[in-house]
Amino acid sequence: MPRRIGQVVWPLALAAVAVAAFWLFARFLGTPAPPPVADRTAVAPGAGPANAEVPPPRSPAATGDLPAESGEALTLAALRQLCGAPWMAQFAPECVAALERRYGDTVPGMSDLTSAPTFKWRPVLIGEPVTWGEVFDRPEATLAAVAEAVARPECLVPEGRFRLDLRETCAADEMAKLAILGRECAVALAGYGGLESRQRIWRIDLKRPNRAENGQEYLRLLAAMDEHWFGAMWRLGKCRALPPGALDAIGPFPAPSGATHQGYGGRPQLRLMEAAARLGSDWAFSSVLKMTPFEVGDVGVADVAAARPVLAELLRIRQANSPSFEALWARYGNRSTRLGHSPEGAARWRHAFAAYLLSASLGVTVHPEGVEWMTGPPDQAILDKALPDAARWLIEQGWTVVVVDEGGEPRRFDRPEDVAMRETWVEDWRGRRISVWRNAPGK
């Protein structure tokens, strides 16, 4: 029996030692070892990190993964075999097709790699987010539609005002797509455009997995790095194929900048995104409401309140951040822990809860992650105050608040003063028993 146990334990121990040795070797070398293949092609001196050897691309079919013609997204391991090192950015058509399947439906968002020379688009607030596939779909048509729109005076809505009725005729979503495309490509071509630049950034990104505490964490961080790089290199290829003029100034809007570390005053290309927001593009609202000096006043809120009451509440959150979001950040420090607890927090959360309640009744998607970029997370004191305040506010705006009692009977709240008669608003909220109506049922 001991001999049989030894036959099992020793191979497992040797395998564990091998994994640990691989991790230590990779950390010592400062670059991940290439995946094992039958043969390798040496890279010319200076062509790769530490003159490492890069395996030639191989078909996933040869490794038992998905066939090349499959419509499914390939795994990261299969992408490495098919595409080679992502920092090389020399992708064959088969690799590009695989990257398209994997990254075409992803949403512009935030990378946790601080070295990434791409714009960190904020979490989406309202509606369905745009995908990278949509951003790069038919760029010639996008450019033509935007050029035609910005040549029309009515499509250039002044600061503080909104014209949601012009969303389609003024190509608001196309403006937002072009703003994302322009910023992404200007920065990617400037930061990722040369092989030496990519090598330098790759080495910077490697520092994070190389600081891992164990082999499992090292491999997880390395996979996250590969995920970012394959997506970024796919977009770089898309940017290289843009039609002439796609990154030029258009109408009154300047050409996008390739600089990555600038204040708002150095990012004039976001004015195109603001123009799209003033025409009602949800994608644009998600980018401009939180972190830019985007003017929102009572007149602007009135422009949208009748047609889109949920959006009006999101704009009111932005108003509650006055005098400016930046001043609040400086005053209260880290948004994620303290901004929601500021004296202004209850006002912001009153409108956030109003937006959530209206969205549920009107079938409009509001994303909590995006909302909390403006509000900060609530504590119990905020909940206790902001929820009944939201109910009173909605009643004042002409809505009826309905709460379903424990027995299943709906109870109407038609007057603001009636709200104080109920003490269980937080429990009702958590139990999803609150709704708002124009013509409400119940007692």
Side-chain angles (χ1 to χ4, degrees):
M1 181 67 69
R3 181 180 180 183
R4 180 173 300 176
I5 293 174
Q7 291 174 342
V8 175
V9 171
W10 275 108
L12 292 175
L14 290 173
V17 170
V19 170
F22 165 80
W23 173 58
L24 291 172
F25 173 75
R27 289 190 65 169
F28 173 77
L29 186 62
T31 183
V37 293
D39 58 347
R40 294 181 183 174
T41 301
V43 179
N51 293 329
E53 291 183 337
V54 179
R58 298 175 65 204
S59 168
T63 64
D65 214 304
L66 291 173
E69 64 273 11
S70 170
E72 299 181 47
L74 300 181
T75 65
L76 278 174
L79 284 180
R80 294 186 196 104
Q81 293 289 343
L82 180 63
C83 300
W87 54 265
M88 293 291 289
Q90 296 176 352
F91 298 145
E94 188 181 28
C95 164
V96 173
L99 295 175
E100 189 94 28
R101 292 198 299 272
R102 186 176 187 92
Y103 296 106
D105 290 334
T106 57
V107 174
M110 300 184 72
S111 170
D112 59 359
L113 297 177
T114 55
S115 65
T118 51
F119 188 79
K120 293 174 173 59
W121 300 103
R122 308 298 184 225
V124 69
L125 268 171
I126 186 172
E128 295 304 316
V130 65
T131 66
W132 281 120
E134 290 172 314
V135 167
F136 287 110
D137 183 41
R138 300 190 307 135
E140 297 93 341
T142 298
L143 185 60
V146 174
E148 180 183 352
V150 300
R152 298 162 52 194
E154 67 270 22
C155 295
L156 303 177
V157 182
E159 289 190 14
R161 300 303 302 269
F162 299 92
R163 287 293 305 273
L164 306 189
D165 56 311
L166 298 178
R167 177 174 179 171
E168 297 295 332
T169 58
C170 287
D173 286 340
E174 301 302 304
M175 285 187 189
K177 285 167 56 176
L178 189 61
I180 296 173
L181 181 149
R183 176 62 181 175
E184 177 74 13
C185 289
V187 174
L189 291 170
Y192 284 131
L195 182 61
E196 290 185 2
S197 297
R198 295 196 297 273
Q199 291 176 15
R200 176 180 55 81
I201 299 168
W202 178 270
R203 292 189 185 104
I204 293 172
D205 286 346
L206 271 176
K207 292 179 181 179
R208 189 179 182 196
N210 284 345
R211 291 193 295 265
E213 296 296 327
N214 54 61
Q216 183 177 5
E217 179 71 359
Y218 171 81
L219 294 175
R220 184 187 70 80
L221 293 172
L222 197 61
M225 178 176 160
D226 277 352
E227 185 77 76
H228 164 80
W229 270 83
F230 275 120
M233 293 302 97
W234 170 71
R235 295 192 296 274
L236 176 62
K238 292 283 192 181
C239 293
R240 287 171 170 170
L242 287 177
L247 301 183
D248 293 345
I250 182 168
F253 304 101
S257 168
T260 56
H261 301 291
Q262 304 176 37
Y264 177 77
R267 300 203 305 262
Q269 66 275 13
L270 287 184
R271 294 176 191 161
L272 182 60
M273 187 67 87
E274 292 183 349
R278 298 205 179 283
L279 292 165
S281 170
D282 289 343
W283 310 334
F285 275 118
S286 295
S287 291
V288 304
L289 278 188
K290 294 176 286 297
M291 297 293 286
T292 66
F294 184 70
E295 183 182 339
V296 176
D298 291 338
V299 175
V301 173
D303 287 340
V304 307
R308 300 192 63 186
V310 176
L311 179 57
E313 295 305 318
L314 297 178
L315 293 177
R316 289 180 174 117
I317 298 174
R318 184 65 175 83
Q319 279 187 293
N321 281 337
S322 297
S324 71
F325 189 87
E326 292 79 6
L328 284 173
W329 186 292
R331 179 177 173 187
Y332 297 109
N334 187 291
R335 170 201 57 81
S336 64
T337 58
R338 294 162 62 192
L339 186 60
H341 307 160
S342 67
E344 297 87 349
R348 287 194 300 274
W349 270 103
R350 174 181 64 184
H351 297 299
F353 284 128
Y356 288 143
L357 289 169
L358 288 169
S359 71
S361 295
L362 299 177
V364 177
T365 302
V366 173
H367 302 273
E369 182 186 12
V371 170
E372 288 199 13
W373 266 86
M374 292 194 292
T375 62
D379 59 14
Q380 187 63 43
I382 292 290
L383 287 170
D384 290 339
K385 177 172 176 52
L387 267 169
D389 280 355
R392 278 187 285 266
W393 168 257
L394 289 172
I395 293 170
E396 291 170 0
Q397 305 306 305
W399 298 88
T400 296
V401 177
V402 176
V403 180
V404 178
D405 287 329
E406 292 291 341
E409 290 295 324
R411 183 178 298 276
R412 296 169 54 116
F413 293 83
D414 297 295
R415 300 178 304 168
E417 56 268 27
D418 293 341
V419 172
M421 298 170 59
R422 193 175 186 89
E423 300 179 351
T424 59
W425 288 101
V426 175
E427 290 79 3
D428 293 333
W429 167 263
R430 289 172 175 161
R432 299 186 178 183
R433 296 192 292 268
I434 309 174
S435 60
V436 295
W437 302 74
R438 281 298 187 192
N439 298 298
K443 298 178 181 178

